[in-house]
Amino acid sequence: FVNMSPDPDQEYFSDGLSEELLNQLALISGLQVAGRTSSFSFKGKGEDLRTIGRKLGVNHLLDGSVRKAGQQLRITAELINANTGIREWSRSYERKLEDVFAVQTEIATDVATALSIKLGVGTATGMVGGTADVAAYEKFLRAKAAIALGGPQDYQRGIELFREAVKVDPSFARAWSNLYSALRYSRVFGPMQADALREEMAQASARALKLAPDAWWTHVMRAQQLRDQHLWVEAEAAAKQAVAAASATEVDAIRAYAGFLEDVGRVRESIPYFQQMRDADPLSLPASGALQIVLRSGGQSAAADSEYERSKDLAGEHGEWDWYAVLRLWSRKDADPAAVASKVRDILEADKSRNGELRKLESKLGDPAGARVILRESFRNPRVRDSWTGLTGLTLMADHFGDRDLALTALRRRVELIDFHYIAWWPYETQLRSDPRFKQIVRDLKLDEYWRPRPEWGAYS
């Protein structure tokens, strides 16, 4: 929905309304809805509607505009047949701001009726744990818009707004849950934040659990919490509950279970769930990238390369996924050194501000000993040592250049900062997982306790 308000800063409101409608439509039995990232990727581009429908894999498109002036709302909506480009239904809604929750349900109901789909959109914001307070809701939407920008300052702004939202309405469970997730993710920006925020995370999760214990997003939050505590059996149960409680196209619920399977080393089992995420949000670069990683870890490098080629036209920052393509290329025994060097040059040329460690290695791609010296120097840099992304890259590059000791040291440091995650199950060239130090990490994370009763124990050792 396009922002037509006099104030361009009201963009957060039109985006928030769009996402809330998407969530409500996803609750309707028999209706399959494309994910947020894919839907929003066409915003402001004016692309042919039939082309949009084809790219999203949907039969109908819902769009419109939002005009917010003071306490008045004017919302227009139209339903378009994506195959013919013909408008099948349209309507305008004039409401006061205090009626925003009701009008969301009204639009979703009208759309469902136009499609002759069974209604099931509920009331208020369409989900348990919402709010009837417009001020709290606006802060919630502003917070989500800030978090979506992705930077450290954006996260801090979003966290502050979530805090304000729950201060206005302490019963706003969704805001408590989003506050927990924002605090949890903010740990990636620096190790000092993790200890300082742990108590607030516990408070936020406790409030969300008390207010909305059966909501799918509460189960997602609980699964995250239990994974952080290395209570793997309980985390698996919570992740399964999230999938059972959510709509079939709810990407975050699918991600909770897919991520759990990846964390504990059941990588091949996770692949169909990552594919489901990609299919639900086909134009999301992060969803595609996550699938590329598990395909490689699960022994399907050719499929990972195909997904990488498909992702090249998707919007977003491609540097990380280009780099993983290099990793797949140079791990092949028949890899052409010239092709590897060319790919590295392409990445560095495309993004001159990033890939600092890769840039240093450019002249050492054929000199493993020289590369190892550079990597060890990099590990002494606090910017790398205190960054989970920097440590991930260092671990994988150290392994490729034959420095198992450094790879394990960087992996241990990453676990201390944030967690194990997918990096544990990468197909290491140095056979890193056979090392006693890796097995000690597994014991420290209690993964051995999870795996030992399972018949597949040792499948990834």
Side-chain angles (χ1 to χ4, degrees):
F1 278 54
V2 177
N3 174 38
M4 298 295 288
S5 304
D7 182 0
D9 289 340
Q10 294 295 317
E11 191 88 358
Y12 78 92
F13 191 85
S14 58
D15 283 353
L17 177 67
S18 301
E19 186 169 359
E20 289 297 299
L21 282 170
L22 186 153
N23 291 336
Q24 290 211 9
L25 290 167
L27 293 173
I28 298 174
S29 176
L31 194 63
Q32 199 161 332
V33 183
R36 179 193 189 281
T37 302
S38 295
S39 299
F40 277 40
S41 68
F42 295 101
K43 180 180 171 182
K45 293 184 177 178
E47 195 160 349
D48 180 78
L49 296 176
R50 285 167 290 192
T51 301
I52 295 175
R54 185 175 66 254
K55 289 183 177 179
L56 289 175
V58 297
N59 294 321
H60 291 82
L61 301 170
L62 176 68
D63 71 0
S65 64
V66 181
R67 182 179 178 86
K68 178 173 174 283
Q71 295 299 305
Q72 292 298 125
L73 280 178
R74 177 178 173 81
I75 301 170
T76 64
E78 60 179 10
L79 187 69
I80 300 163
N81 186 309
N83 298 311
T84 64
I86 296 174
R87 183 173 64 186
E88 296 186 349
W89 166 88
S90 65
R91 186 175 171 186
S92 295
Y93 302 80
E94 300 274 358
R95 300 288 188 276
K96 290 189 178 298
L97 182 59
E98 64 192 33
D99 298 324
V100 63
F101 309 118
V103 78
Q104 288 170 6
T105 299
E106 189 177 352
I107 294 171
T109 301
D110 288 347
V111 170
T113 301
L115 292 171
S116 300
I117 297 290
K118 178 182 176 182
L119 303 182
V121 295
T123 58
T125 59
M127 302 178 83
V128 173
T131 183
D133 190 297
V134 173
Y137 182 62
E138 283 209 72
K139 290 181 184 298
F140 176 76
L141 295 185
R142 285 185 184 273
K144 293 185 72 174
I147 294 293
L149 297 175
Q153 293 180 334
D154 304 315
Y155 261 79
Q156 191 55 46
R157 176 61 178 153
I159 287 169
E160 290 299 329
L161 284 164
F162 282 134
R163 287 169 177 158
E164 292 176 16
V166 296
K167 187 175 181 179
V168 173
D169 182 1
S171 65
F172 193 174
R174 288 177 67 195
W176 283 113
S177 175
N178 277 260
L179 173 59
Y180 171 86
S181 296
L183 291 168
R184 181 177 185 267
Y185 189 83
S186 71
R187 299 176 304 169
V188 307
F189 298 122
M192 297 305 294
Q193 293 189 12
D195 292 336
L197 298 178
R198 188 174 292 114
E199 183 177 348
E200 187 177 5
M201 288 169 61
Q203 292 173 349
S205 65
R207 293 301 298 271
L209 281 165
K210 182 178 180 180
L211 292 165
D214 299 321
W216 70 262
W217 36 268
T218 303
H219 293 309
V220 168
M221 180 194 68
R222 186 65 177 145
Q224 293 172 338
Q225 191 174 43
L226 292 164
R227 284 161 66 184
D228 290 344
Q229 296 170 354
H230 309 139
L231 298 173
W232 303 107
V233 173
E234 295 88 342
E236 181 174 15
K240 285 181 176 179
Q241 286 178 304
V243 172
S247 67
T249 55
E250 183 50 68
V251 174
D252 287 340
I254 303 168
R255 182 183 292 112
Y257 188 55
F260 165 80
L261 292 173
E262 186 183 30
D263 277 357
V264 298
R266 295 165 62 185
V267 179
R268 287 191 284 272
E269 290 179 67
S270 78
I271 291 174
Y273 294 96
F274 281 102
Q275 289 172 328
Q276 187 179 347
M277 283 170 52
R278 187 271 319 274
D279 293 344
D281 211 353
L283 304 184
S284 167
L285 183 58
S288 174
L291 176 59
Q292 293 170 42
I293 289 174
V294 294
L295 285 170
R296 170 62 177 130
S297 297
Q300 300 183 35
S301 288
D305 289 338
S306 287
E307 179 61 24
Y308 170 68
E309 290 299 322
R310 187 194 75 85
S311 75
K312 285 183 176 180
D313 292 332
L314 302 183
E317 172 54 57
H318 286 257
E320 181 177 1
W321 316 118
D322 289 340
W323 184 74
Y324 276 107
V326 170
L327 285 171
R328 290 193 300 273
L329 179 60
W330 72 16
S331 65
R332 289 170 43 183
K333 297 191 182 302
D334 62 344
D336 179 2
V340 174
S342 176
K343 182 65 176 176
V344 169
R345 283 194 300 271
D346 288 345
I347 294 174
L348 297 176
E349 182 62 29
D351 189 354
K352 292 181 169 58
S353 64
R354 298 187 180 222
N355 299 300
E357 307 313 310
L358 190 58
R359 192 174 298 279
K360 294 177 185 177
L361 287 170
E362 184 179 7
S363 64
K364 302 293 183 182
L365 296 178
D367 177 13
R372 289 193 290 269
V373 171
I374 291 174
L375 291 171
R376 286 184 171 268
E377 289 175 353
S378 295
F379 187 63
R380 289 191 285 270
N381 183 345
R383 184 179 58 80
V384 176
R385 284 180 59 85
D386 294 340
S387 163
W388 71 277
T389 53
L391 289 166
T392 300
L394 193 64
T395 300
L396 299 176
M397 286 191 284
D399 170 71
H400 172 70
F401 287 108
D403 194 337
R404 183 196 284 188
D405 289 345
L406 178 58
L408 279 163
T409 301
L411 178 59
R412 165 63 75 177
R413 174 66 177 164
R414 189 186 191 281
V415 169
E416 291 170 354
L417 285 185
I418 190 161
D419 216 335
F420 217 28
H421 203 39
Y422 64 84
I423 189 176
W425 314 115
W426 189 260
Y428 289 105
E429 298 175 60
T430 61
Q431 306 302 311
L432 179 150
R433 286 195 291 276
S434 65
D435 193 290
R437 291 169 290 181
F438 179 87
K439 295 180 180 181
Q440 184 57 53
I441 294 175
V442 168
R443 287 191 289 271
D444 291 345
L445 297 176
K446 301 180 182 178
L447 277 168
D448 58 324
E449 296 176 15
Y450 171 79
W451 268 100
R452 194 167 283 115
R454 298 179 62 86
E456 303 92 338
W457 170 251
Y460 288 93
S461 63

